[in-house]
Amino acid sequence: MAQWQEVQQLPPTHLERVHQLYTNAALPMTVRQSLADWIEDQDWQQAAEPFSSHARMLFHSLLTLLGEQLGSLGPGDEDFMLKHNLRKARIDLQAAFEEHPENFANLVANLLQEERCILRRAQAKGQVEAPPAPSTAPQSSQEREIQQRLAEFRTALQEAERAFRHMEDLQDTFDFSYKMYYLPGQDHSHDPQYAQHVQALQAKLQSLDRQRREVVAQIQQLLGRSETLRDFLQQELSAWRERQQRSCLGAPTDTCLLQLQGWFTALGEGLFQLLQLLRAVGELRQKVTYEQDPLQSELPLLEKRLQEQLTCLLQSAFVVEQQPCMPNTPKRPLVLRTANKFCTRARLLVRLHDRNHRMEANIHIDRDPPKTRGFRKFNILTSSSKTVLVGDSPREGLVCDFQYLTLKEQKGGGSGKGSRGSNEGPLAVTEELHLITFTLAYAYCGLELKLETSTLPFVIISNNNQLSSAWASVLWFNMLSPNPKDQQFFSTPPPAPWPRLAEVLSWQFQSIAERGLSREHLQMLAEKLFGSKPSPESALPWTKFSKDGAAGFSFWAWLDGILALLHDHLKQLWKDGLILGFVSRKQEKKLLKVKRSGTFLIRFSESMLGGVTCTWVEHPESGPPAFRAVVPYTAAELASLALPDIIRDYQLLAEENIPENPLLFLYPDTARDEAFGPYYSQRHEGILTKKKEYLNQRLIRVSSRQPLSPVCCGCATHMSRGATVGSPGQCPGVIGHCAPLPAVSSPPMAPRCSAVSWGERRVVTSPSSTEPRPSNNEGTRWEREGAMWRDDVTQRSVMSR
Amino acid sequence: MSQRGRHQESKTKLEISPSETMKAEEENYKEEDKEPKSEDWRPPSVFGAADLKNRAVGLYNIGQTCCLNSLLQVFFMNIHFTKILRRISVPVCGTQKKNNVPYQMLLLLEEMQRGKQKAVSPRELAICLLAHRVTMFVQYDAAQLFLTLWNLLKKQMKNPELVEKLSDLYTIGVQEHLACQICSSETKRNSSMLTLPVPLLDSGFYMLKTLEECLQCFFHPEELTGHNMCFCEHCGKKTPFRQCVKLVHLPQTLTIHLKRFCFGRSAYIHKISSCLPFPQDLDFNEVLTEQQCQAYDSEKAAWQYELFAVVAHSGSTSCGHYCAYIRSLTECKWYCFNDSLVEQVSWDDVKSTYGHSDLSWGQTAYLLFYMKKHPQ
C-alpha cells in the first residue's frame, strides 16, 4: 500500500501528529495529497545532497505536474477550493525554492521520513494493543520476525534498485557531457567556457562516484541483513529436520514444508534479483570507469559473497521430504526389505527454476560406504534418475518423488547363499545403516550448482521377522546420533538417557495405539530397567535394550510384543485408558489392597511376550487380601475372543461349584459392565425365536478357583467334585441363554485343568491345584501354574448356546 | 587483514609493540608540553551543538575508507570518548588545525551531530591523516589502523589530563611473567596494551569454541622449549622457559582483537571464517582463574562487561569490506554502520558476525569492543 494511503488510515491520535507535521511545513498537504504517488516514487534523499542536479529536475517536474493537475481539474464548484490551493501552493513553492531546490528536496525527504516514523510507531502500538490478530494459526515470534525481515529485505532491495536507476541516469548524463565537452589535446587555455565545462564535468563525476559508493553500500547492507535472515531460515530448517526425525519415531508433530518453502523461495528470489542487479551494475562499470572506481574493487567481492550465500541457501534448501518408507509399514519408516517396494521424496525449497533447463535428480545408495568388513552392498533396481517437474500451483514445489524403488543385494562373485558366514561383519544386519543420496543439477540465472542431500540412515532387512529389531536400531539411532549421516553408529552405540528413551517409547504407543505412556507407566518401566530407584541420569545401554534379557527376550522385544498386541487387539481399550498396562506386582498389590473384592485391573504380562492379564483382589473373611491373576492372554486367544468379552463372561469355578465372575469392578471403581459395556460384542438376543439348525455358540473363558488357603490340596474328591460342576440348572446366570442340555462331565484325567471336549456344549472346569501353595506369593505361582494349565488346553473353553 | 597482510609473529612481540610505542609517545609528549598552549579556547560550535546524544549518522566512503569509517564510528558512538574529545584545545594556526587529528575528528563529529544529513564525508580528516602517513585508497587492517589512530590521538592531545583519561579509557594492564624452568628465576614486567589479541586456534591448532575459551587460551601459560628457549642469566645458557601473562587492569572500553587468520602453506595467509560466538555480557572473573589475574578485589569487581561494538570484516585477507555494529549507549539500540548507510538492527544481526565455516566471504567479527557495566 502506498505510504500516503497508509497515513490516511492511521488512528486519530497518530493522524493528529501528521497534521502537526504539515501545519508549518512549506509543502502544503494539498500538494502531498494530489501528487502522492509521484512524490513517493522519487529519490528525495539523493536529491537533497549538495550540488545535486537531481534536485532541480525534481523541483521543476513537481511544478509541471502541479500545472497539469490544475489543468485537468474540471470547472465544477467542488474543485474550486482545491484549484485555488494548488495554484497558491505552486506560486509559493516556486518563490521559496527556485534558488535552492536542494532545500526543497531535503524538506520532502524529511517529511517522508517523519511519516514513516509515525507509521512505524502506530504499527508498533497497534501490535501491543491488539496482540493476537485474527490469523488462522498463531505465529511464533520467530515466524513474525522472519516475515518482517523478508518484507524489509524486499523494501531495501527496491530502494537499491531505485538507487541503481538513479546511478544509471547520472552515468548517462555524465557520459553525454563527457563526450560532448571533454576535448583533450586541444588548447583551451583561452576558453573560459571550456574550463567551466570541465568543472561541471568534474562535479558530475563526483556525484556519480558518490552514487556508486552509495549503491555499493546498499548492496553490502542488504547482504549483511540477508545473512541474518538466512541464519533464521537455517534455524527453522533444522527445527524442521528435528521434527521430521521425531515424527519418523512416531512423535505427533507437524512436518509440513509449505511455510519454509515460501520463506526460502522469497529469500532466494530476492538474492537472485540482487545478483541481477549486481550484473547490471557491472555492465555500467564496463561503460564508464575511472581511477579509484569503487566498483572496480568492490564488485568482484560482492559477487563472490552473494554467490556464496546463494549456494549456501540452495544447498540447505534441498531436503528429503519423505524418508524412505515401505507403504505396508507406514508407521515404521527407515526399515526397508529387499525386493519390497519403497518410496522416498526430496524437495528443493527454493521454488525457482529455469523452464528451459531440464533438472534431473539422481539417487545413489551408499555412495561412500563405510569400510567395515562384511558391509552389504545393494543396488537400486528401478531407475535411479528422475526429471524434476514443477506444478503451477504454489503448493507444489520442486519435487523429485521416487515411488517404486526396490533394493537387491549385490552378491560377491561366486559366493552363494551360505557364504555369508565367512565374511560376516562385526555388525548385525539390523545394525548396518545405509544411506540414499539425492543429487540435483541446478541451474538458474547463470548460477550452476550441484545440490545434494541424504536420507536418514535406514536398515535393510530380508525377512519380516527382522522388522522389530531393525526398528529398534532406527529408534536408537534417531534418538541418540549427533550426526545424522553416521553409518558407523552401531560400532559404538551410546547408552540412552532415560528421559529421552521414555519419551521415544511413549511415542511408540502414541503412534501405534493412539495413547502414549503415562508417568506411572514410565515409572514402572524405569524400575524394571534400572532397579528400585531410577534417577534422571540413568542411561540404558543398547545391548540391554535390544539384546539381553533375563526372561529370554530383550526389553524391546517384550515392549514390541505388547505394541503388536495393542495394535491388533486392544487398540480401543488402550486408547480409552481402560488398560492400566504397566504395573509392577508390588504396585498392583498396593493399588488393589484398598479396593473392595472383585476390583480388577488389566496389565501386561512381564514374563511372556505379548500377553495381557487381569488381576483382581479378594478380601477373605479373615486374613490378608488375596490377589488373583489369570494366565496372560496372547494374540492367539484374543484373535478368537476379544478381551471385553472375555472379561464379561469370565468364569471362575468356586469350590462350591458355583461358577462366578470375579471381575466386578474395573480399577479404581467402575462397574465392569459400565466400563466395558460399549466394547462387548453384540449378543444375538432374538436368535432363539428363529428356527435354526444349530444353536449359536459363544466362547467363554473359565478358570477354576484355587484354594485360598494352603489347607486344600488336590485330592481326588476335590477333583471329582470339580468335574461335575456346571450343570445347567445350577448356574443359570452364566449360561442363562443356553438351552437346557444334559450335563456332560469331563473325565477327571487332567487333574489341574478344565476338562473340555470339543463339540460338547458345556464347559467344565475342575479345581486346579494339586499341590498346596503358600498364600504369600500366590500371584506368581498362580500365573506360573496357569501357564502350565494353559499349555495342555489351547482349546480349553467351549461355547454353548 | 589487509593487503598488507601484516604477519603477526608471536604473541610476545605483539604485546610489546603497543607498549613500546606508548613509551615513545610519552617522551614526545613531554617535549610538546613545553610549547605554549592555547588553553581552554574552544570553537563556539562545541558549546552550541553540545549534543551528547551521539546520534547515528553515516560516513561516506571516500575511497577504501570503510575501515576508517567503521573505527571512527566506534570512537564517536562511545560517549566516554567523545566527552574527552570535546574538551581538547584547538590548535592556533591553520596548518596545525589541518594536521591535528583530534581536532579534525572533533570537527567531523560536530558536523555529523549538527546536520540533518544522513551521512557526512570524512574528507578533511582523511587529508589530515594523509599528513601522518595514513594514506587513503589502501585497505587497512582494522586492528592496526585502530592502534595508529589511537596513538595519533594520544600524541596530539596536548592536555595531560586528557591524555591520561584517554589512556585510562582504553589501555589494558598486564604483567608478563617469564620463569626459567631450571633455576626457577622469574622476571616480571608490567606493560599496557590497547587490544587483547586473542587466538582462534589453540596450541594444537584446534578451533576454539567460544570467546571465553579464546581468552583463557591467551592467558594460558606457554612453555618455551626447543627453538623458543631463552637465555637465562642465572644459568648462563639457553633454557626452557615458562611464559605467562597475568591480567592487572581492565579499562572502561576493552578492545578484543580476534586473530582470524592463519598461515597456510608457503606463508599464504588465509582467513578463519568459522563460527566463534561472543557473549553480550562478559564477566572476566568467570573466565579467568585466580592465577591468571594480578589485581585487587576492587579492581576485579568491576570486570563486568557488556558488548558495545563489533567491527566486522567480510571478504578475504587480500580484499574485503568493513562495517561496524554499535550499540548506542544513549538509546540502547544496535546500529549497523555501513559507510553512508546506517540502519537499526537487532542482536540477531550482530550474531550473524559470529562467522560460518560455509561462508568464507561472509561477515565475521574482527574487533570486539566491550564496555564496563559499572564505570568506576
Side-chain angles (χ1 to χ4, degrees):
Chain A
M1 197 173 15
Q3 187 173 321
W4 186 245
Q5 267 175 296
E6 280 184 63
V7 167
Q8 283 171 309
Q9 287 169 10
L10 281 172
T13 45
H14 293 282
L15 208 54
E16 186 55 37
R17 291 216 183 115
V18 181
H19 282 294
Q20 276 171 13
L21 183 65
Y22 278 91
T23 324
N24 294 319
L27 181 78
M29 207 188 243
T30 335
V31 180
R32 174 77 179 93
Q33 165 98 24
S34 46
L35 297 177
D37 292 338
W38 181 82
I39 289 176
E40 282 163 36
D41 274 347
Q42 310 309 314
D43 192 343
W44 297 96
Q45 197 84 55
Q46 189 58 48
E49 271 151 31
F51 317 113
S52 171
S53 59
H54 199 53
R56 186 164 298 276
M57 191 193 83
L58 282 182
F59 182 64
H60 285 288
S61 308
L62 180 102
L63 293 181
T64 320
L65 282 171
L66 271 180
E68 280 170 18
Q69 191 87 14
L70 277 171
S72 71
L73 284 173
D77 288 339
E78 64 272 26
D79 289 337
F80 183 75
M81 271 314 287
L82 179 62
K83 258 157 82 174
H84 168 78
N85 284 343
L86 284 180
R87 188 171 290 124
K88 182 173 181 298
R90 188 161 170 248
I91 295 164
D92 288 349
L93 285 176
Q94 192 152 21
F97 296 105
E98 183 68 60
E99 294 299 312
H100 297 286
E102 63 271 7
N103 288 357
F104 179 71
N106 196 21
L107 168 83
V108 180
N110 283 335
L111 278 175
L112 289 178
Q113 200 167 357
E114 289 293 326
E115 280 177 17
R116 276 195 289 270
C117 263
I118 295 172
L119 277 176
R120 217 174 305 138
R121 237 175 282 150
Q123 275 163 1
K125 202 149 185 219
Q127 274 171 0
V128 176
E129 278 164 5
S135 65
T136 46
Q139 283 184 322
S140 72
S141 62
Q142 175 87 343
E143 282 170 20
R144 261 203 308 276
E145 174 92 32
I146 289 175
Q147 305 278 27
Q148 198 186 332
R149 275 178 185 265
L150 273 173
E152 279 170 12
F153 185 74
R154 261 179 242 124
T155 327
L157 193 60
Q158 277 166 9
E159 245 163 64
E161 276 172 343
R162 201 182 299 153
F164 166 77
R165 282 197 298 276
H166 182 61
M167 179 172 94
E168 218 174 7
D169 290 345
L170 286 178
Q171 179 161 331
D172 283 349
T173 37
F174 168 77
D175 209 20
F176 177 76
S177 319
Y178 181 77
K179 283 174 184 148
M180 249 338 243
Y181 300 117
Y182 188 65
L183 306 161
Q186 293 175 25
D187 182 24
H188 297 289
S189 49
H190 304 297
D191 187 354
Q193 215 184 346
Y194 182 76
Q196 226 171 11
H197 280 313
V198 170
Q199 210 178 352
L201 210 53
Q202 192 64 45
K204 283 198 173 91
L205 184 61
Q206 286 294 348
S207 66
L208 176 62
D209 183 58
R210 176 174 282 202
Q211 185 61 17
R212 280 191 170 185
R213 291 183 192 282
E214 182 73 19
V215 170
V216 166
Q218 277 186 353
I219 295 175
Q220 265 153 356
Q221 191 78 337
L222 263 170
L223 279 173
R225 291 302 77 78
S226 68
E227 268 175 35
T228 318
L229 190 50
R230 203 189 53 81
D231 276 353
F232 278 160
L233 293 190
Q234 214 72 51
Q235 282 165 22
E236 288 292 312
L237 187 65
S238 17
W240 174 82
R241 273 185 217 280
E242 225 165 83
R243 284 205 300 277
Q244 189 195 35
Q245 209 170 3
R246 291 215 313 262
S247 104
C248 275
L249 299 187
T253 50
D254 175 25
T255 55
C256 180
L257 275 170
L258 276 184
Q259 191 176 42
L260 271 174
Q261 177 175 293
W263 290 338
F264 269 86
T265 309
L267 181 59
E269 237 162 18
L271 288 179
F272 274 117
Q273 217 172 323
L274 195 58
L275 186 67
Q276 263 154 353
L277 184 69
L278 262 185
R279 287 184 184 150
V281 174
E283 276 167 28
L284 286 190
R285 191 187 73 85
Q286 296 291 321
K287 287 183 197 150
V288 173
T289 188
Y290 45 91
E291 230 178 278
Q292 306 302 347
D293 180 1
L295 300 184
Q296 184 103 32
S297 56
E298 298 292 333
L299 269 189
L301 180 73
L302 287 174
E303 193 153 344
K304 269 183 198 146
R305 198 170 154 193
L306 178 57
Q307 285 201 354
E308 192 180 66
Q309 260 197 57
L310 267 171
T311 310
C312 205
L313 182 80
L314 286 161
Q315 287 287 10
S316 60
F318 193 40
V319 294
V320 177
E321 185 179 12
Q322 192 200 347
Q323 298 292 342
C325 179
M326 296 193 289
N328 50 351
T329 54
K331 295 269 170 71
R332 299 201 160 171
L334 299 170
V335 178
L336 306 179
R337 210 184 110 188
T338 47
N340 255 32
K341 72 175 183 206
F342 68 95
C343 46
T344 177
R345 181 167 65 231
R347 185 188 276 257
L348 183 62
L349 295 175
V350 176
R351 220 178 136 271
L352 299 172
H353 78 126
D354 185 352
R355 288 198 183 265
N356 299 321
H357 174 84
R358 198 167 145 268
M359 264 198 290
E360 201 170 71
N362 283 293
I363 48 173
H364 315 267
I365 183 162
D366 294 327
R367 232 176 20 170
D368 311 297
K371 308 258 180 301
T372 7
R373 195 164 45 85
F375 189 83
R376 294 172 303 162
K377 290 195 173 65
F378 290 89
N379 287 334
I380 296 173
L381 283 190
T382 23
S383 165
S384 66
S385 67
K386 201 154 207 155
T387 308
V388 177
L389 297 170
V390 200
D392 285 319
S393 92
R395 291 184 70 83
E396 295 167 60
L398 291 162
V399 168
C400 34
D401 200 353
F402 288 88
Q403 289 264 3
Y404 303 103
L405 300 171
T406 43
L407 293 173
K408 187 173 179 4
E409 187 173 353
Q410 280 177 23
K411 294 287 182 195
S415 59
K417 226 182 171 182
S419 70
R420 224 191 114 72
S422 60
N423 60 354
E424 186 94 45
L427 289 181
V429 167
T430 53
E431 293 182 348
E432 201 180 88
L433 298 173
H434 299 267
L435 278 178
I436 284 181
T437 310
F438 287 79
T439 52
L440 178 70
Y442 184 78
Y444 187 65
C445 282
L447 187 74
E448 287 188 17
L449 288 173
K450 197 167 183 205
L451 304 180
E452 232 184 76
T453 185
S454 287
T455 62
L456 289 170
F458 50 85
V459 177
I460 304 177
I461 57 173
S462 48
N463 195 314
N464 270 347
N465 60 19
Q466 295 165 311
L467 186 69
S468 172
S469 58
W471 181 244
S473 305
V474 171
L475 289 183
W476 210 257
F477 179 89
N478 287 298
M479 178 165 57
L480 298 170
S481 177
N483 168 13
K485 287 184 182 180
D486 183 9
Q487 289 182 265
Q488 303 274 37
F489 177 75
F490 282 104
S491 52
T492 47
W498 171 246
R500 184 94 185 86
L501 181 63
E503 183 186 37
V504 171
L505 292 180
S506 180
W507 290 341
Q508 301 313 303
F509 283 82
Q510 174 76 45
S511 83
I512 284 188
E514 294 170 44
R515 187 189 178 95
L517 297 176
S518 68
R519 194 141 44 92
E520 290 77 21
H521 290 149
L522 293 170
Q523 182 70 22
M524 178 267 178
L525 290 177
E527 276 171 26
K528 186 177 165 69
L529 287 170
F530 304 108
S532 55
K533 274 187 184 169
S535 71
E537 292 87 47
S538 306
L540 186 70
W542 165 240
T543 48
K544 212 177 154 198
F545 177 74
S546 74
K547 291 176 180 166
D548 325 326
F553 45 79
S554 67
F555 177 72
W556 168 249
W558 174 66
L559 219 53
D560 201 31
I562 292 170
L563 280 169
L565 190 73
L566 283 181
H567 178 258
D568 293 342
H569 302 293
L570 301 171
K571 206 166 177 174
Q572 201 58 41
L573 292 185
W574 173 258
K575 193 177 156 187
D576 297 343
L578 297 175
I579 299 178
L580 216 51
F582 298 101
V583 192
S584 65
R585 296 242 165 69
K586 213 173 113 195
Q587 181 67 12
E588 170 183 277
K589 283 182 184 161
K590 210 171 117 192
L591 292 178
L592 290 175
K593 202 164 62 187
V594 294
K595 297 291 171 187
R596 51 185 152 163
S597 286
T599 304
F600 68 101
L601 53 81
I602 307 172
R603 64 171 178 84
F604 300 122
S605 161
E606 283 186 70
S607 54
M608 59 192 295
L609 283 179
V612 64
T613 183
C614 303
T615 306
W616 69 92
V617 63
E618 281 173 9
H619 294 282
E621 278 165 26
S622 64
F627 304 96
R628 305 289 196 193
V630 73
V631 188
Y633 297 101
T634 60
E637 280 102 34
L638 295 179
S640 54
L641 199 56
L643 189 65
D645 290 335
I646 291 179
I647 290 168
R648 179 189 58 191
D649 296 332
Y650 181 74
Q651 296 296 323
L652 188 68
L653 296 187
E655 282 170 73
E656 291 78 24
N657 294 335
I658 304 165
E660 57 172 23
N661 191 340
L663 311 174
L664 302 175
F665 306 100
L666 178 66
Y667 179 86
D669 196 20
T670 318
R672 178 192 64 215
D673 290 343
E674 195 186 312
F676 290 96
Y679 310 99
Y680 292 157
S681 60
Q682 266 192 333
R683 297 174 188 239
H684 303 278
E685 298 290 349
I687 280 166
L688 277 178
T689 61
K690 284 186 187 170
K691 204 178 173 188
K692 293 202 73 173
E693 228 174 304
Y694 293 111
L695 291 165
N696 283 317
Q697 56 175 27
R698 194 167 103 224
L699 272 168
I700 61 168
R701 299 281 174 189
V702 185
S703 301
S704 58
R705 173 174 291 284
Q706 282 180 312
L708 277 174
S709 60
V711 180
C712 189
C713 55
C715 56
T717 54
H718 225 121
M719 276 189 282
S720 61
R721 229 163 88 206
T724 55
V725 165
S727 75
Q730 272 177 300
C731 50
V734 184
I735 30 180
H737 305 297
C738 302
L741 290 162
V744 181
S745 63
S746 66
M749 276 151 50
R752 299 188 295 106
C753 75
S754 58
V756 176
S757 29
W758 271 123
E760 285 167 358
R761 304 165 188 156
R762 165 53 42 103
V763 182
V764 188
T765 20
S766 67
S768 67
S769 183
T770 52
E771 51 194 353
R773 67 182 63 244
S775 58
N776 51 2
N777 62 350
E778 256 169 345
T780 9
R781 289 292 288 275
W782 179 268
E783 194 172 295
R784 190 145 48 81
E785 221 175 66
M788 285 154 67
W789 170 76
R790 206 183 54 100
D791 282 341
D792 29 24
V793 215
T794 27
Q795 336 85 325
R796 74 192 122 144
S797 323
V798 163
M799 48 284 114
S800 68
R801 192 161 267 220
Chain B
M1 243 169 277
S2 69
Q3 273 172 341
R4 294 178 179 184
R6 188 166 55 112
H7 284 243
Q8 311 262 334
E9 291 85 11
S10 74
K11 209 160 84 180
T12 1
K13 182 74 187 283
L14 235 159
E15 289 148 19
I16 296 166
S17 60
S19 58
E20 279 175 354
T21 343
M22 277 178 234
K23 221 175 279 168
E25 279 152 20
E26 264 159 32
E27 283 160 21
N28 284 349
Y29 176 69
K30 274 171 205 151
E31 287 167 25
E32 283 166 11
D33 205 18
K34 290 164 198 157
E35 287 170 25
K37 282 183 283 180
S38 53
E39 266 205 26
D40 283 328
W41 188 90
R42 283 169 219 160
S45 64
V46 177
F47 293 116
D51 178 4
L52 286 171
K53 275 190 175 159
N54 295 36
R55 255 179 352 108
V57 178
L59 285 169
Y60 283 108
N61 186 326
I62 50 168
Q64 315 272 41
T65 55
C66 56
C67 180
L68 177 68
N69 287 350
S70 302
L71 290 173
L72 285 176
Q73 296 287 11
V74 176
F75 274 121
F76 289 156
M77 293 298 283
N78 185 348
I79 41 177
H80 305 285
F81 173 77
T82 49
K83 265 182 208 160
I84 299 174
L85 188 66
R86 283 173 198 279
R87 289 183 53 195
I88 58 160
S89 42
V90 174
V92 217
C93 71
T95 46
Q96 267 182 356
K97 273 184 187 168
K98 269 187 186 152
N99 291 339
N100 188 292
V101 178
Y103 178 67
Q104 289 300 334
M105 268 176 83
L106 180 60
L107 284 187
L108 183 60
L109 174 66
E110 292 299 338
E111 195 187 345
M112 284 163 76
Q113 296 304 315
R114 185 178 50 228
K116 287 201 165 178
Q117 282 160 297
K118 74 167 195 138
V120 168
S121 167
R123 199 166 160 272
E124 269 71 36
L125 179 65
I127 293 170
C128 165
L129 287 172
L130 204 62
H132 300 283
R133 295 190 298 279
V134 182
T135 49
M136 281 206 290
F137 300 115
V138 171
Q139 298 205 356
Y140 280 98
D141 176 89
Q144 194 185 7
L145 187 63
F146 178 63
L147 183 66
T148 317
L149 260 184
W150 192 84
N151 283 334
L152 280 170
L153 274 172
K154 195 181 161 197
K155 190 169 149 189
Q156 297 184 359
M157 278 192 189
K158 301 292 190 298
N159 187 338
E161 188 198 334
L162 292 185
V163 172
E164 201 189 315
K165 282 200 164 159
L166 187 69
S167 297
D168 279 353
L169 186 57
Y170 284 102
T171 51
I172 305 152
V174 291
Q175 191 171 56
E176 289 172 70
H177 287 244
L178 209 57
C180 172
Q181 295 293 76
I182 291 182
C183 66
S184 55
S185 68
E186 196 178 19
T187 47
K188 289 180 198 169
R189 184 171 49 161
N190 281 326
S191 58
S192 32
M193 300 156 76
L194 190 62
T195 61
L196 278 184
V198 299
L200 259 74
L201 304 170
D202 67 7
S203 47
F205 294 101
Y206 284 106
M207 285 300 307
L208 293 164
K209 299 260 168 18
T210 57
L211 178 68
E212 288 87 337
E213 279 185 22
C214 294
L215 286 166
Q216 279 157 3
C217 183
F218 178 79
F219 286 102
H220 192 75
E222 196 182 353
E223 308 289 338
L224 302 176
T225 51
H227 278 302
N228 295 327
M229 286 203 294
C230 300
F231 184 79
C232 174
E233 287 174 5
H234 294 272
C235 305
K237 57 173 181 180
K238 276 199 166 183
T239 55
F241 268 80
R242 183 185 167 88
Q243 183 196 36
C244 64
V245 182
K246 291 187 179 186
L247 194 56
V248 177
H249 168 75
L250 283 176
Q252 171 67 32
T253 305
L254 170 68
T255 313
I256 297 175
H257 173 201
L258 304 176
K259 296 209 283 178
R260 276 196 176 271
F261 30 71
C262 69
F263 302 99
R265 284 180 222 104
S266 69
Y268 165 74
I269 312 167
H270 64 92
K271 183 176 164 182
I272 303 169
S273 59
S274 52
C275 178
L276 184 88
F278 44 84
Q280 263 182 299
D281 295 291
L282 185 62
D283 183 355
F284 268 79
N285 295 310
E286 281 172 21
V287 177
L288 300 185
T289 61
E290 281 289 315
Q291 288 81 39
Q292 288 168 332
C293 312
Q294 188 77 51
Y296 295 114
D297 285 349
S298 60
E299 163 73 24
K300 278 167 131 182
W303 287 0
Q304 313 271 346
Y305 282 86
E306 63 184 330
L307 191 62
F308 160 62
V310 177
V311 170
H313 179 260
S314 54
S316 67
T317 43
S318 56
C319 66
H321 174 69
Y322 281 102
C323 67
Y325 289 87
I326 305 173
R327 190 167 167 273
S328 162
L329 294 172
T330 49
E331 295 165 272
C332 298
K333 286 176 191 154
W334 281 97
Y335 285 93
C336 175
F337 293 83
N338 206 328
D339 290 333
S340 55
L341 281 186
V342 183
E343 190 186 12
Q344 198 191 318
V345 295
S346 72
W347 169 241
D348 293 297
D349 293 294
V350 185
K351 280 203 296 197
S352 75
T353 65
Y354 282 174
H356 196 292
S357 44
D358 287 350
L359 294 171
S360 54
W361 294 89
Q363 292 180 34
T364 46
Y366 185 52
L367 291 179
L368 301 175
F369 296 82
Y370 277 89
M371 198 64 88
K372 238 178 213 170
K373 276 185 192 167
H374 314 289
Q376 280 166 312

